[in-house]
Amino acid sequence: MPSAQPSSVPSFLYGTAWKEDRTAALTELAIRSGFRGIDTANQRRHYFEAAVGQGLAAVYRAGIVTRNDVFLQTKFTYQNGQDHRLPYDPAATLSVQVAQSMASSLEHLGTDHVDSFVLHGPASHSHWTTDDFETWQAMIKERDAGRTRLLGVSNISLAQLQQMARAHAEPPAFVQNRCYARLGWDREVRAFCRERNIIYQGFSLLTANVEVLRHPSINALAAEMNTMPAQIIFAFARQVGMLPLTGTSSAEHVQQDLESLRITLRPEAVRAIESIAG
């Protein structure tokens, strides 16, 4: 097992998807600004994981943080979610692909372990498959070998989580989903997680909910509290039990997002936001 482990999961994650050539600089900016949780994936189609490692190396060299101060989360992505730049042999078994993807991630990130290893979405949109079970067992082996502390699943439905449970699969520590207000802020999945002490990670909280950011009640609340609408949404997310992600590329917004950690909404404000779009 890794000898140096962060004591806890951070209250905010910085997501590194779709950053391309800015990935290293933005990862460094996030850490220098105060983020201590970094989310990435070994999926070159949407992430530049090696550049995340470059950004981390820069802050380590500068003495801003040590590896033990940072929560690192990466993902295993099936071939149908990749482009031609695969981090594993596509002819290998899924178990071997998981091991190869992890080895590649550790090299990219310059570490001997990550803190969270996430299945980047089930193999099917409709159900939990035998491929998923094989992949999950391989991920458990990576955890048991000390190459990750925790496991998670992303882009997963309530039905798939229920199927996973019925198959007696080990439950995840995390569920990470795109969170739409118009779908009740993924209320049913959040309830499933809450009942089982699974941490729900919400992403695209802003980009998936532009209509909420423009809602008169959100803007009135932001004006009343002298904050930004985005800060209200992140504060809301935490107060309903989410671990939020932000993927902003703006230095100003990085700081504003972190400042949202100091915001506490009144219970009636939380209820109002949860009911805005379902």
Side-chain angles (χ1 to χ4, degrees), residues 122-135:
S124 164
H125 291 300
S126 60
H127 58 288
W128 184 258
T129 68
T130 54
D131 282 354
D132 295 319
F133 193 81
E134 179 184 346
T135 299

Side-chain angles (χ1 to χ4, degrees), residues 9 20 38 44 58 74 146 155 172 192 200 202 235-236 242 265:
V9 178
E20 284 300 319
I38 299 294
R44 191 59 189 87
T74 191
N155 302 300
F192 179 96
Y200 179 95
F236 159 77
M242 296 186 209
L265 302 175

Side-chain angles (χ1 to χ4, degrees), residues 43-65:
Q43 180 208 33
R44 191 59 189 87
R45 179 180 177 185
H46 293 149
Y47 294 80
F48 192 177
E49 189 178 62
V52 173
Q54 293 166 15
L56 291 168
V59 293
Y60 298 156
R61 285 193 304 270
I64 306 298
V65 292

Side-chain angles (χ1 to χ4, degrees), residues 154-172:
S154 183
N155 302 300
I156 190 167
S157 69
L158 176 64
Q160 289 168 319
L161 285 166
Q162 292 168 334
Q163 291 164 1
M164 187 181 183
R166 285 196 297 271
H168 304 291
E170 180 179 320

Side-chain angles (χ1 to χ4, degrees), residues 23-33 54-56 58-59 62:
T23 300
L26 289 168
T27 299
E28 181 175 354
L29 171 68
I31 296 292
R32 285 181 178 273
S33 299
Q54 293 166 15
L56 291 168
V59 293

Side-chain angles (χ1 to χ4, degrees), residues 25-166:
L26 289 168
T27 299
E28 181 175 354
L29 171 68
I31 296 292
R32 285 181 178 273
S33 299
F35 276 96
R36 294 296 178 263
I38 299 294
D39 173 85
T40 186
N42 206 344
Q43 180 208 33
R44 191 59 189 87
R45 179 180 177 185
H46 293 149
Y47 294 80
F48 192 177
E49 189 178 62
V52 173
Q54 293 166 15
L56 291 168
V59 293
Y60 298 156
R61 285 193 304 270
I64 306 298
V65 292
T66 67
R67 168 66 185 91
N68 192 44
D69 297 322
V70 182
F71 179 94
L72 294 180
Q73 176 168 275
T74 191
K75 307 180 191 79
F76 169 80
T77 309
Y78 286 119
Q79 187 177 353
N80 62 5
Q82 303 270 8
D83 61 16
H84 64 283
R85 296 166 290 184
L86 294 170
Y88 46 70
D89 177 2
T93 64
L94 287 170
S95 296
V96 170
Q97 289 180 18
V98 167
Q100 290 177 343
S101 182
M102 173 62 90
S104 172
S105 285
L106 297 181
E107 181 178 356
H108 288 160
L109 298 172
T111 185
D112 63 356
H113 72 283
V114 293
D115 299 288
S116 174
F117 189 34
V118 174
L119 175 59
H120 205 174
S124 164
H125 291 300
S126 60
H127 58 288
W128 184 258
T129 68
T130 54
D131 282 354
D132 295 319
F133 193 81
E134 179 184 346
T135 299
W136 191 243
Q137 291 305 115
M139 292 173 65
I140 289 171
K141 288 181 181 178
E142 294 299 307
R143 192 272 317 281
D144 291 347
R147 289 183 282 272
T148 184
R149 289 197 304 127
L150 301 165
L151 299 174
V153 291
S154 183
N155 302 300
I156 190 167
S157 69
L158 176 64
Q160 289 168 319
L161 285 166
Q162 292 168 334
Q163 291 164 1
M164 187 181 183
R166 285 196 297 271

Side-chain angles (χ1 to χ4, degrees), residues 11 177 179 184-187 190 199-203 205 233-234 236-245 274:
S11 53
N177 275 358
C179 191
W185 302 97
D186 211 10
R187 187 178 296 119
R190 287 191 288 120
I199 295 174
Y200 179 95
Q201 299 180 5
F203 72 94
L205 286 162
I233 298 304
F234 287 129
F236 159 77
R238 283 193 305 279
Q239 285 183 238
V240 297
M242 296 186 209
L243 169 54
L245 283 81
E274 186 138 29

